[in-house]
Every structure is written in C-alpha cells, then in structure tokens.
Amino acid sequence: MSLLEIRGLQVTFGGLDALSSLDFHVNDGEIVSVIGPNGAGKTTFFNAISGMVPPTEGEILFDGESVLGLDPNQITEMGIARTFQNVRLFPNMTVVENLMVSQHCRTSQLFVGALFQTKAFKKEEREIRERAEEILAFFGTRLTGYRLDQPAFALSYANRRRLEIARAMATQPRLLLLDEPVAGMNPMETAELTGLIGRLRDEWGFTIVFIEHDMKVVRDVSDRVVVLDHGVPIAEGSYESVSTDPDVIEAYLGRPLESRKDRR
Amino acid sequence: MTATLAPSGSSVALDWRRALLWGGICALSLVSVSLIGLPVGMNKRILIEPVLSLGYLFLLWIPLVFGYVATTVVVLEGVEARKSGVADLLAGLTAGLMGGIGLTLLMVGLDTVNIRKPLVNWSPQLFRLLTFERGLEFGIPVWLGICAGLGLVGAVLHQLPAVARRVMSWVLFGVMAVAILEAVIDDLAEGFHLEWLTDALYYKKGGTEGLTVTSAVVLALVLAALPVVTGGRVKAAVDHYRDAPSEDRRRTSLVLFGAIAVACVGLPMILGGIVNELLANVGLFLLLALGLNIVVGLAGLLDLGYVAFFAVGGYTTSVLTSSNSPFFAPEWHFGIALLFVVVMAAVAGLLIGAPVIRMRGDYLAIVTLGFGEIVRLLFLSDWLKPYFGGSQGITKVNPVDIGPFKVQGSDPRSVFYLVLFFCALAIYVSWRLQGSRLGRAWMATREDEQVAEAMGINTVNAKLMAFVVGATMAAFSGAVLAAKVGSVFPKSFEILVSIIILVVVIVGGMGNIAGVMVGSLVLIGILGGPRQPGLLQEFQSYKLLIYGALLVFMMLKRPEGLVPSARRSRELHQDEYLQDAWLGDEAETEGDQGAPS
Ligand SMILES: Nc1ncnc2c1ncn2[C@@H]1O[C@H](COP(=O)(O)OP(=O)(O)O)[C@@H](O)[C@H]1O
Ligand SMILES: [Mg+2]
C-alpha cells in the first residue's frame, strides 16, 4: 500500500495553475525524486502536501487518511516532515535547540513540569536532547561538539543545509520531503550528502521524496523519478527511462524552433 | 588581511568640515537643551555645593561629548588607524567653541528680544543662569572658555592611554552617582549608623544639597585610587569565574544569588520610607516588565495594549476586596481575590489574544494598542459606571492582611515585601519557562512562524499561552497596585504605561531577565514611572523626553540593551560574530580537505 497517495491535485495562484491534475504516490520505503525545470511547481507540490498552501482540488491521503484542511503542524504530527529550498532555520536558536524544538509535537510537558522540574520533565528534556545529539551525529562531526551551542546563523552554508535535514528528522516523520537538499553545495559535499540520503532510508527507515536538479544525485539514489513541467507530470519511471524520454528532454532543453511555430 | 593600506592623509590635516559639522550640532544641542528648560528646571538640584547643579551638568556634558565625538578616528578594517595629533585637538577645540558661540547667540538673543510667547523658557531666569547673574560681559567669555576647554578635553581623551580614560570615566560617573543618589545613600547610612560619613560627604543644610567641593575632590581621589589598590583583582576574579568549571560557577552563582536575596529581604528593614516607596514602584514595574518580556522578548508579539491586563488585575482586586465597590463588594481577603485575578487575567489574555493572534508584527501592535485603550475606556464609561465607578474608580480597597502584617500604602516596606514576593515568583517562572518546551516553542514562533508550524508547533496555542502568562504577571502587578494605593482609577491605566514598560524592556535588554531587572531599577527607580516619581523628582516634567531620548540612543548605540543576553547580542552583532565564525569555518574546511573524507 502506498504511504502517500495523491489524486487530481490542483493548486491555483490567481488564475494560474501551479499544479494541475497531478496524480502521485509513494510506497513505504521508497525514494522518489521529483525533477523538472525551474517554476515547474515542485516546491508548490511540497507546500501542498505539508499544508502550507491549500489545494484547489484533489485528494492527498497519507497512510490512508486525508490531510486536506489540516494545519501544517497537524500534518507534521501525522508523520510528514519537510525541508526548505531556501534554508529556513530558526537562526537565533542554537543548533541543538533547533532540533529540540522540532520534537515539540512528540513531547507533552507544559507549565507544571517546567515550574516544578518534575521527574517526567527532566526525563523528557534529557531524551529530546539525546535524540538531537544522535541525529546530529549522523552528519559526522560537523554539527557536534561546540557546534551544538552555536546559533544556527553562524553555521556555514553546507552545515545549514545539513541542519535543515536534521531538523526535519527530529520531528520523527515517516515521510521526508527534501527540497533541493544539495543545492549550492560543492561536489564533495554533494557526494557525501547523496550517500546520506540512501542511509536515511536504510538506517532510519524514512520514506523519501526529494526535489533535485543534480542529475547525478537523482541517478544514484532514486528508485523512481517523476518529472513535472508547468505543473503537470510529464513522465515517470526509472532514471534510465525518464532520462531518455523525448518529452523530458524537450521540457529541459526546449522545443526545436520549427515545432514551436507549429504549435501556435 | 595582513596588507594594510597606508594611513590616508598621514599629514594629519585638520578636517574642518567635520569639526564644524559636529560643532554646529553641539551648538544646536546646547541651545535646545537650554530652551527645553532643563538647566533652569534642574538648577535647584545641587550636585556639588556651590559650584555645580544638575542644571549646569546638563549643559556641561555637551561640549565634552562633542569634542570627543568630533575627533573620534573611524577605523576601517584593514586600514591602519590614523594617528591623532595636534589637528585633532584643534578640531575638538573648534567643536566646543562652536557650542560656546551657540550659547553666546542665545544669551544675546535673550537680552535683546522677548519671544517668550511661543518659547516658554525664553526667560530672564535662563538669562541669569547662563550669565551667572553677572551680565553678558561675564557670561560670554566664560561660556566660550568653558565650551572650548571641554571640547579640547574631549579631544585629549583620545590621546590618553585607555587605562586613563577608563579611570577618568569611572571617577566622573562615580562622583555624579554619589551626588545624585544622595537620598538613598543618606537613608542607607542612617540604617547602618554611619551618619558621620554622610555628614562629611554632603553639604546638608536641609534637604539634598549635594557634595561639598572638598568631599567631591576627596571622593574623586579615592575612586581614582581604587583601581590602583585593587590592582585588577576584580577583573581577575571575574575572569576566574568565567573560566571556572561549570560546577564551581554554579556554586559562585548560588552564593551571589543568596547574597542578593538576603539584601532584598534585609535592606528594606533599615531603609527609610522614601527609598522603600521607590523600590516598591520598581517592583511593580519589574513585574509588568517581566510579563511583557515573555510576550515581546520570547514570543515576539509586540503587544502595545499590555496595560489592559494591569487594569484587569487592579479592578478585579478592588471589586473583590473593597468595601466601597459600587455593585458587588464581598470584601474578600486579598489571597482569595488573587485566585480570581489569575482567572480574569487568563480570560482577558484569551479574549484579547484570540482575535489578534493571526496578525503579524505591526498589525498586532496597532490592534493591541487599540484594545488597551478600549479596556481603559470601558472602565471609564458611564455604561459600566454602576460596576466600576467610572472616573471616580473604586476606593477603600482593604489593606492586605497577612497574619500580623498589614500591607498598605502608608507602609511602603510592607508593599515592597509583597511586590518582592510576586517578582521572585515571576522571575522563577520566566527562568524555568525559558528553558522548557514552551519557551523554545515561543522562540521558534518568534524566529519564523511559518516554519515553526511546519516543524509541528501549534503556534496559535503557543502565542495564546504567552499572552496568558504575560497577562497574569501584569494582573498580579495590578492587584498589588490596588492594595498599595487603596484605590483604582482609569487614569492609572493609560497607554503611557504600556509604552514605558516596553521602554524598560528594550533599554534593559529584551529577552533577558537580568536586563529587565536592571532596566526597571534604573528607569523606574531614577526617572520614575508614568505616575510615580523616581529618585530624581526634578525630572518629573522631563521624564518622557528623557525616556524618548534614552530609547533613541539605545536603539542606535546599544540595541541589545544594558544587560544583553548572549543570544541577543549575537543576534544584533551578527556580522561581527559571523566574521569570526566563518573565518573559523574556512580554516576547518581547509583542514577537512587535507584529511581523507
Ligand atoms: N505563493 C505563491 N503565490 C503566487 N505564485 C506562486 C506562489 N508560489 C509559487 N508560485 C508560482 O508557482 C509556480 C511554481 O513555483 P515553484 O513551485 O516554486 O517552482 P519550482 O519549485 O519547481 O521551481 C511559479 O510560477 C511560481 O511563480
Ligand atoms: Mg523550488
């Protein structure tokens, strides 16, 4: 059974269809990549799933339940976490705080625990901190040690991107939506992160959908590739089949001039 | 960054334009300060008998500061600092002299034309003050001399070694502080039976009369000698504390905390009524500021109608404990009323919070501003007059009975202890919440609301809780106010209260408990609250002006507040901080590349 099932999704911004009649599914444990030229609607697709923009039409089922109409935090609680293409950390909170606060919906302590420092409160604090450190350790030594207590804004670009992923992991999701996770990274960092994406599924058991422009990354980690253009899926399948699809090549490279004239 | 450019213009030519510009501003400042009425208004407050009053001080610091500013060398990164030389002294002198010329023009003007109609302070008193009651022939050369001299001194300050500068400012501020805090020091000395000390220190001919010249000089010498005697031992101790392992630091903190607690409980016993009254006011506003600090500082909700909750607390207490409440006067005990205060504060927090919670930034500020005013107008209205007494308010609020003690306005010490209790509570609550799940949710909401939601935080709930916690603290403050004054009136709950509390929070240091404490102590204690006189009662009519000037100054020069939290100063000095962080990072990446990855 598919973990995420989307039928006939349509998102419209002021009369313009950013997404239209989009069908999509991800199976449990799959890594699916979404590719397409800029402005194709990939980020909008993630925004719709995570509840940040309301779809005009269509259905989104997560694990058999509809997520339409739910607030983003409720969707996150159900088990969908995302990262942002334009890194959006909590810049003035420390690295470890960024991860602790992201476990909010998995924890429950309120006033009484904090004010009386109850056993349950202390246990919860210890647990979320330990989990935060465990997640950060997944990225090697780059986000551990003294970095734990640095404000997020002080991190290097690549580290911010890593922290974005770590923060999404901290919400303890089943489905991870990664929006261009390696954008702006150098080849070495890209190669490293490509490896990590595979391990995210194998070791942590996440199902992953990720948007990517780097074809090497797409080829190396995805089980399936979905191509969007102008808000419409134009191809789907293995990397090999998609990368040779004439429609896809056309979408990326543009139509030959004559045929474009024909169309008009 | 090793290459440094040759110092630009090492010939050290005098930058006339700059000197004249600052001189012009200096002159304008002197004239406007005079015409605002500060010198005349503060002239009665003698700091050093018979040579210096607070009024003159307001004039004298101006040429000094402008002399200093006009000759500050702007250091650009990677450019070797220009050496300051004779030209700078000349520039300082010029800036000061221009100030003197400004005052000269003012004196001549005062002497020749009368435009008192629009300018209330265009007065003979000002003329007499400026001319030292000896006419223009005396006043003009003296002011020209003083201003030029002080400008020169300002310029010379740059040439002194840093240590000398520090000692000088320490001495200057020390002497002024001892002079200004005369009432408090007097009071303290009396408590410790040290009257001989204050008798020697102060001129004392009835009331506060300032230091004598001799005592000022002796005090200055003592203060100057202090750093020599301690020989940096204080700094060493602070450094030692900072570098100590966290276990030791904890112990030191505990000792410090204990000392402060003992002082808070013990000092009021030996302090007199006036100082206790001041401290009680400080406490009332500290309680308000702590609450607002949670709303604005932690959750990032700019609530300008915060006074509404103060009013709710005051009125709830008054209705329930007064014998004179117009509609319903059960005359309950303060403690029982407090339970209702909490409930009413929470209700008010939810009522005001719910409709505005979806708004952001400026919109939230404006709408809450309106709500604050609505609440005051409701209490003032004829419609609710049968319940809350309209503009007459509710009087005869019973004193608080705690066993053998009675807390009432005529006994400021008792009020102080009551306030202290609530402040301690509020500080504890703020401290614990800050480091809890809820506090982190507030911070995340402040940082980026949309992302906070995407990370699973119910931001609506988080913000409502911030409103409710803040409202409760404000309402407690209102409750104490009602008991203290023995009555409540709508007049006590004007917008100004919200604004002053906000200034206290900002000036003290947003998001930082210690900062808020220092902010209330300094601002409310010295300048006074919206309707409460501070230590310098002479400031009464200039209070708002000074609050405003202070706010502008702090925003420009020290936006992180008097006592910044580490977090906030990092935030506001990001570029500097980042430079270090990135440089460190670069070094590390280089190292990474060397190692097999
Ligand atoms: N909030 C929005 N309001 C209006 N238009 C939007 C909004 N978000 C995205 N769009 C538009 O939708 C289209 C798809 O954008 P996006 O999903 O960001 O593309 P991609 O991520 O594939 O580069 C673009 O034309 C963009 O301008
Ligand atoms: Mg995008």
Side-chain angles (χ1 to χ4, degrees):
Chain A
M1 180 196 159
S2 38
L3 183 63
L4 183 72
E5 176 89 45
I6 292 173
R7 288 191 220 114
L9 185 69
Q10 183 181 34
V11 175
T12 308
F13 293 118
L16 190 95
D17 284 354
L19 292 175
S20 52
S21 54
L22 178 82
D23 292 332
F24 181 85
H25 75 281
V26 200
N27 296 323
D28 213 346
E30 222 181 350
I31 299 183
V32 178
S33 54
V34 177
I35 63 172
N38 275 325
K42 306 179 297 292
T43 299
T44 306
F45 177 53
F46 274 15
N47 285 343
I49 301 175
S50 56
M52 297 178 80
V53 300
T56 2
E57 249 175 62
E59 258 184 296
I60 305 178
L61 300 176
F62 180 68
D63 206 13
E65 282 178 59
S66 173
V67 302
L68 285 188
L70 295 183
D71 288 336
N73 60 297
Q74 291 170 313
I75 294 173
T76 307
E77 203 174 333
M78 285 175 74
I80 301 178
R82 67 169 295 177
T83 66
F84 295 89
Q85 178 180 351
N86 46 339
V87 184
R88 285 171 80 179
L89 297 166
F90 302 124
N92 297 302
M93 296 173 77
T94 64
V95 169
V96 73
E97 278 173 344
N98 263 278
L99 264 69
M100 287 169 82
V101 77
S102 300
Q103 299 176 53
H104 191 88
C105 61
R106 305 287 171 227
T107 48
S108 58
Q109 288 295 321
L110 272 180
F111 295 99
V112 177
L115 296 187
F116 298 102
Q117 297 283 299
T118 57
K119 273 222 182 72
F121 173 83
K122 285 187 182 160
K123 180 159 166 278
E124 192 184 279
E125 286 285 301
R126 201 173 49 242
E127 280 171 3
I128 60 176
R129 190 171 171 111
E130 275 166 10
R131 186 165 299 116
E133 288 178 12
E134 185 194 340
I135 291 170
L136 289 169
F138 176 67
F139 296 87
T141 52
R142 313 196 125 94
L143 291 170
T144 54
Y146 72 99
R147 285 272 158 77
L148 284 179
D149 296 314
Q150 273 199 334
F153 70 69
L155 296 178
S156 70
Y157 180 76
N159 270 339
R160 290 190 215 180
R161 282 233 101 102
R162 295 184 186 107
L163 185 56
E164 271 270 330
I165 299 174
R167 196 176 57 173
M169 292 163 69
T171 66
Q172 303 175 36
R174 292 177 63 193
L175 176 65
L176 259 183
L177 309 175
L178 307 177
D179 197 344
E180 305 200 14
V182 303
M185 286 192 170
N186 68 32
M188 220 173 54
E189 293 162 337
T190 304
E192 186 198 314
L193 204 72
T194 311
L196 288 185
I197 292 176
R199 284 175 56 205
L200 277 175
R201 174 190 49 194
D202 302 339
E203 292 171 23
W204 295 75
F206 298 131
T207 302
I208 297 168
V209 179
F210 75 105
I211 296 172
E212 195 42 73
H213 281 301
D214 189 326
M215 284 307 145
K216 203 162 155 305
V217 181
V218 173
R219 186 192 63 203
D220 287 353
V221 290
S222 28
D223 297 329
R224 192 150 53 87
V225 181
V226 173
V227 190
L228 282 188
D229 189 26
H230 296 298
V232 192
I234 55 168
E236 184 185 335
S238 68
Y239 174 78
E240 283 73 27
S241 70
V242 162
S243 60
T244 50
D245 190 308
D247 281 345
V248 177
I249 297 170
E250 195 181 282
Y252 268 92
L253 300 177
R255 258 177 211 111
L257 267 177
E258 315 84 76
S259 60
R260 208 182 276 180
K261 271 187 203 140
D262 293 348
R263 279 255 168 153
R264 278 198 193 138
Chain B
M1 283 294 151
T2 39
T4 48
L5 304 174
S8 52
S10 44
S11 53
V12 200
L14 172 54
D15 188 348
W16 279 109
R17 277 192 53 189
R18 189 158 167 237
L20 290 179
L21 177 72
W22 283 113
I25 302 177
C26 175
L28 273 179
S29 310
L30 280 166
V31 171
S32 52
V33 163
S34 302
L35 289 180
I36 287 165
L38 279 168
V40 172
M42 308 280 148
N43 196 28
K44 290 215 190 61
R45 183 70 153 84
I46 308 291
L47 295 179
I48 301 175
E49 175 74 27
V51 289
L52 182 64
S53 75
L54 193 55
Y56 281 107
L57 184 66
F58 266 104
L59 290 176
L60 292 177
W61 68 270
I62 294 174
L64 183 71
V65 166
F66 279 97
Y68 186 82
V69 173
T71 53
T72 300
V73 176
V74 183
V75 185
L76 296 174
E77 197 184 305
V79 180
E80 195 182 303
R82 185 173 60 80
K83 279 232 175 50
S84 44
V86 183
D88 287 289
L89 299 188
L90 215 58
L93 190 86
T94 314
L97 195 64
M98 297 253 316
I101 293 172
L103 278 183
T104 303
L105 292 178
L106 178 65
M107 283 185 278
V108 173
L110 281 166
D111 198 31
T112 47
V113 290
N114 181 2
I115 44 173
R116 210 169 167 187
K117 271 276 144 54
L119 286 173
V120 188
N121 290 306
W122 191 273
S123 62
Q125 286 98 304
L126 181 59
F127 183 75
R128 282 205 296 276
L129 181 131
L130 287 178
T131 54
F132 307 93
E133 306 196 4
R134 298 220 207 146
L136 283 176
E137 316 79 79
F138 184 78
I140 291 174
V142 167
W143 275 113
L144 286 177
I146 290 179
C147 288
L150 285 172
L152 186 64
V153 172
V156 168
L157 284 179
H158 286 294
Q159 323 240 331
L160 295 176
V163 183
R165 231 169 17 225
R166 223 172 305 138
V167 170
M168 274 182 70
S169 53
W170 155 250
V171 168
L172 216 60
F173 279 108
V175 172
M176 287 307 134
V178 172
I180 285 173
L181 295 177
E182 179 171 351
V184 178
I185 294 174
D186 231 10
D187 203 339
L188 264 177
E190 220 167 282
F192 285 107
H193 299 289
L194 293 171
E195 283 97 340
W196 57 269
L197 187 67
T198 44
D199 282 346
L201 208 51
Y202 297 115
Y203 180 70
K204 289 226 172 179
K205 282 241 177 82
T208 46
E209 290 290 347
L211 301 162
T212 62
V213 176
T214 358
S215 72
V217 171
V218 172
L219 187 65
L221 288 177
V222 169
L223 286 174
L226 221 52
V228 181
V229 174
T230 55
R233 245 169 280 165
V234 177
K235 190 175 179 303
V238 172
D239 285 348
H240 178 76
Y241 169 75
R242 206 169 280 153
D243 301 337
S246 62
E247 195 46 36
D248 287 3
R249 210 158 52 193
R250 225 184 126 94
R251 202 172 314 132
T252 320
S253 308
L254 264 178
V255 171
L256 264 177
F257 179 79
I260 293 175
V262 167
C264 278
V265 175
L267 272 184
M269 303 270 193
I270 49 178
L271 286 173
I274 301 171
V275 179
N276 270 323
E277 168 83 25
L278 281 178
L279 287 177
N281 285 337
V282 169
L284 274 179
F285 279 85
L286 172 58
L287 197 48
L288 285 165
L290 284 166
L292 191 66
N293 182 46
I294 287 186
V295 181
V296 183
L298 283 189
L301 303 163
L302 186 50
D303 179 2
L304 293 182
Y306 189 62
V307 68
F309 307 123
F310 188 41
V312 166
Y315 270 95
T316 307
T317 312
S318 302
V319 167
L320 297 179
T321 66
S322 159
S323 56
N324 206 16
S325 165
F327 174 68
F328 174 67
E331 286 197 66
W332 283 337
H333 185 266
F334 184 77
I336 301 171
L338 270 188
L339 296 178
F340 286 86
V341 168
V342 176
V343 174
M344 292 310 292
V347 170
L350 291 175
L351 275 182
I352 294 184
V356 303
I357 218 76
R358 289 275 177 195
M359 296 175 186
R360 276 158 215 233
D362 310 350
Y363 302 103
L364 182 91
I366 290 173
V367 176
T368 48
L369 187 76
F371 269 114
E373 203 47 10
I374 288 172
V375 168
R376 183 180 70 86
L377 290 173
L378 279 179
F379 283 125
L380 185 64
S381 68
D382 284 339
W383 176 48
L384 292 178
K385 193 167 181 183
Y387 309 97
F388 301 116
S391 62
Q392 271 88 51
I394 301 175
T395 50
K396 293 197 185 151
V397 177
N398 287 339
V400 182
D401 258 312
I402 308 172
F405 303 107
K406 254 191 176 53
V407 177
Q408 55 194 1
S410 56
D411 179 9
R413 188 174 300 150
S414 64
V415 180
F416 174 76
Y417 281 124
L418 188 66
V419 168
L420 183 66
F421 168 76
F422 283 112
C423 283
L425 196 69
I427 289 169
Y428 178 79
V429 169
S430 306
W431 174 53
R432 282 306 192 192
L433 287 183
Q434 244 176 36
S436 78
R437 171 173 176 263
L438 195 53
R440 284 188 298 264
W442 284 335
M443 284 190 271
T445 309
R446 178 193 66 193
E447 300 280 282
D448 191 331
E449 201 177 323
Q450 246 191 336
V451 176
E453 243 168 71
M455 290 302 133
I457 296 163
N458 186 336
T459 52
V460 172
N461 278 358
K463 290 196 282 186
L464 278 179
M465 280 187 227
F467 257 103
V468 168
V469 175
T472 311
M473 292 185 187
F476 279 152
S477 185
V480 179
L481 178 84
K484 172 178 183 268
V485 182
S487 53
V488 284
F489 308 101
K491 252 201 187 129
S492 319
F493 305 110
E494 283 169 341
I495 290 182
L496 195 54
V497 179
S498 299
I499 300 202
I500 287 200
I501 303 162
L502 189 64
V503 177
V504 166
V505 172
I506 292 173
V507 169
M510 221 192 298
N512 180 21
I513 300 172
V516 173
M517 287 162 75
V518 171
S520 358
L521 196 65
V522 171
L523 291 184
I524 307 296
I526 294 181
L527 293 177
R531 303 178 70 82
Q532 293 78 5
L535 183 62
L536 292 180
Q537 302 195 0
E538 294 84 354
F539 278 167
Q540 201 64 333
S541 37
Y542 301 100
K543 195 151 53 189
L544 293 182
L545 179 77
I546 296 175
Y547 265 105
L550 204 61
L551 188 61
V552 172
F553 177 79
M554 293 297 285
M555 290 328 277
L556 287 176
K557 287 292 168 198
R558 211 179 148 87
E560 67 269 37
L562 290 172
V563 187
S565 62
R567 183 192 301 278
R568 188 130 171 90
S569 72
R570 278 193 314 243
E571 182 181 331
L572 288 160
H573 297 278
Q574 272 192 20
D575 16 342
E576 299 147 46
Y577 185 88
L578 277 182
Q579 242 166 25
D580 299 351
W582 283 84
L583 286 178
D585 229 63
E586 248 165 54
E588 189 178 294
T589 332
E590 276 161 30
D592 278 358
Q593 278 162 357
S597 54

